[in-house]
């Protein structure tokens, strides 16, 4: 089937939950992907901040092939070495004492919310059930994750959602302190918001959340599904703030494209859990865990993180120097950057796509750049040149 036939097949067969351009991609290499006509595109989306090591990485491919010849799936009825070694590595290089594996970021958020409710029930009372989330938040599209996602357009078609969720203004210390009460079981926050517009939390804000949670016995959940694992130039986004959460959700880049998520937690949270409280058939399978361990060891390397910081600084420098038309603000950290513009962000991304550059959006007026973390200066220069053309079109 040619590309036109495949696009037509998609129109007939797939649930209409995505807005896709009429392009069929066939393969990738490093920073680039290729369509069925052989055209090359510079990828500054990375599978929505997933393909940290780029496309067709030889090391990842080798681990997949080797593990596939050994054992792909066994379920969580039994132990396998890869998921245990991965858990050991995640704990050794984070605040956490324990890990729960799942298959996606939304699943990680669901698990974290459940664990927080159980913790409050065991240590306090059945009435301590409230969650606090924030404006512009995005935590996923399953019912629990959607309940702590603020955007009305995502929420309203599926209401009623889970109860006892309150939203406060992001980065407003006093509003957050007032909203966290004795009935709050957990606060969930993205240190750097991704989908909601690339808003960076202030150190004062996160410190205030930590302090107030401790005062009322609430748990603090950091959602680092998009901003964690090197994306902002440190292994975990929380490291730049000196504030530790009680639980942390992680997913997107952990296996460079294979589906995996995890909840990292302190021992006090794990202590309230028992067999049967939560589970997953596929989570932490030997294939995906072997790949994730390989990816994690590369992402946490000091030289790799230094490269991300260097490229992030260069990207920001080049964006400001480009004097792009209609730009209100450029914000972000590392290789998670949002460009707020006066016009329609989708129009810019469409014009960039026509010129061979993949970009994401983060709301109606924010163009998001989240390239693979292997990006080099030459790729940034190429992306800026295309973006200038697209915004001038």
């Amino acid at each position: 089937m040619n590309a036109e036939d495949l696009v037509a097949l998609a129109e007939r067969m797939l649930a209409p939950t995505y807005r896709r351009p009429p392009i069929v991609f066939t393969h990738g290499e490093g920073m680039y992907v290729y369509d069925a006509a052989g055209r090359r595109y510079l990828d500054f989306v990375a599978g929505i901040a997933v393909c940290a090591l780029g496309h067709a990485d030889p090391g990842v491919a080798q681990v997949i092939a080797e593990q596939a010849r050994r054992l792909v799936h066994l379920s969580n009825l039994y132990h396998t070495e890869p998921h245990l070694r991965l858990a050991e590595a995640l704990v050794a290089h984070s605040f956490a004492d324990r890990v729960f594996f799942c298959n996606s970021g939304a699943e990680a958020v669901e698990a974290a919310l459940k664990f927080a409710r159980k913790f409050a029930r065991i240590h306090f009372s059945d009435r301590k059930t409230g969650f606090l989330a924030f404006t512009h938040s995005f935590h996923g599209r399953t019912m629990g994750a959607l309940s702590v996602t603020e955007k009305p357009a995502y929420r309203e078609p599926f209401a009623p959602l889970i109860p006892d969720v309150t939203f406060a203004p992001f980065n407003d210390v006093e509003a957050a302190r007032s909203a966290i009460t004795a009935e709050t079981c957990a606060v969930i926050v993205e240190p750097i918001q991704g989908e909601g517009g690339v808003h960076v939390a202030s150190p004062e804000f996160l410190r205030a959340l930590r302090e107030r949670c401790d005062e009322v016995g609430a748990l603090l959940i950091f959602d680092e599904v998009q901003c964690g694992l090197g994306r902002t130039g440190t292994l975990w986004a929380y490291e730049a703030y000196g504030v530790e959460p009680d639980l942390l959700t992680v997913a997107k880049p952990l296996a460079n494209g294979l589906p995996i998520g995890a909840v990292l937690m302190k021992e006090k949270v794990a202590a309230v859990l028992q067999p049967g409280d939560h589970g997953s058939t596929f989570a932490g399978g030997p294939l995906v865990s072997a790949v994730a361990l390989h990816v994690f060891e590369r992402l946490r390397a000091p030289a790799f993180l230094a490269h991300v910081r260097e490229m992030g600084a260069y990207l920001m420098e080049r964006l400001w120097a480009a004097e792009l038309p209609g730009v209100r603000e450029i914000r972000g950290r590392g290789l998670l950057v949002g460009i707020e513009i006066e016009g329609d962000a989708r129009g810019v991304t469409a014009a960039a796509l026509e010129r061979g550059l993949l970009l994401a959006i983060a709301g109606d007026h924010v163009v998001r750049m989240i390239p693979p973390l292997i990006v080099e200066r030459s790729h940034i220069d190429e992306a800026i040149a295309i973006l200038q053309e697209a915004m001038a079109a």
Side-chain angles (χ1 to χ4, degrees), residues 183-263:
E183 286 71 46
T184 304
C185 77
V187 174
I188 183 167
V189 63
E190 301 154 270
I192 301 174
Q193 295 180 328
E195 300 291 333
V198 192
H199 301 284
V200 181
S202 70
E204 297 77 16
F205 179 62
L206 294 189
R207 283 198 296 266
L209 297 183
R210 178 73 277 172
E211 292 169 1
R212 184 60 177 156
C213 283
D214 291 340
E215 290 171 3
V216 304
L219 297 180
L220 180 58
I221 305 168
F222 280 2
D223 181 343
E224 294 204 14
V225 168
Q226 185 162 150
C227 64
L229 289 170
R231 173 61 54 183
T232 64
T234 53
L235 181 58
W236 309 109
Y238 76 80
E239 293 179 293
Y241 293 92
V243 177
E244 288 188 356
D246 300 300
L247 302 103
L248 181 145
T249 60
V250 60
K252 287 182 179 293
L254 184 52
N256 206 62
L258 296 187
I260 187 172
V263 182

Side-chain angles (χ1 to χ4, degrees), residues 24-45:
V24 177
F25 289 104
T26 58
H27 64 287
E29 183 177 1
M31 288 291 303
Y32 295 92
V33 290
Y34 298 79
D35 68 15
R39 187 181 181 194
R40 189 177 79 166
Y41 300 78
L42 177 60
D43 186 2
F44 265 55
V45 177

Side-chain angles (χ1 to χ4, degrees), residues 85-94 99 101 236 254 262 264 296:
R85 291 181 58 211
L86 176 59
E88 181 182 39
L90 290 169
V91 166
H93 299 284
S94 74
V99 179
F101 288 117
W236 309 109
L254 184 52
L264 281 58
F296 182 72

Side-chain angles (χ1 to χ4, degrees), residues 299-336:
L299 295 183
R300 73 175 185 85
F304 189 93
L305 294 171
H307 172 80
V308 174
R309 292 192 294 273
E310 179 186 346
M311 292 303 102
Y314 184 69
L315 174 58
M316 194 69 76
E317 173 190 320
R318 290 286 287 107
L319 283 170
W320 281 116
E323 297 184 349
L324 300 167
V327 171
R328 294 173 177 168
E329 187 179 5
I330 302 172
R331 54 184 180 257
R333 180 176 295 155
L335 291 171
L336 173 53

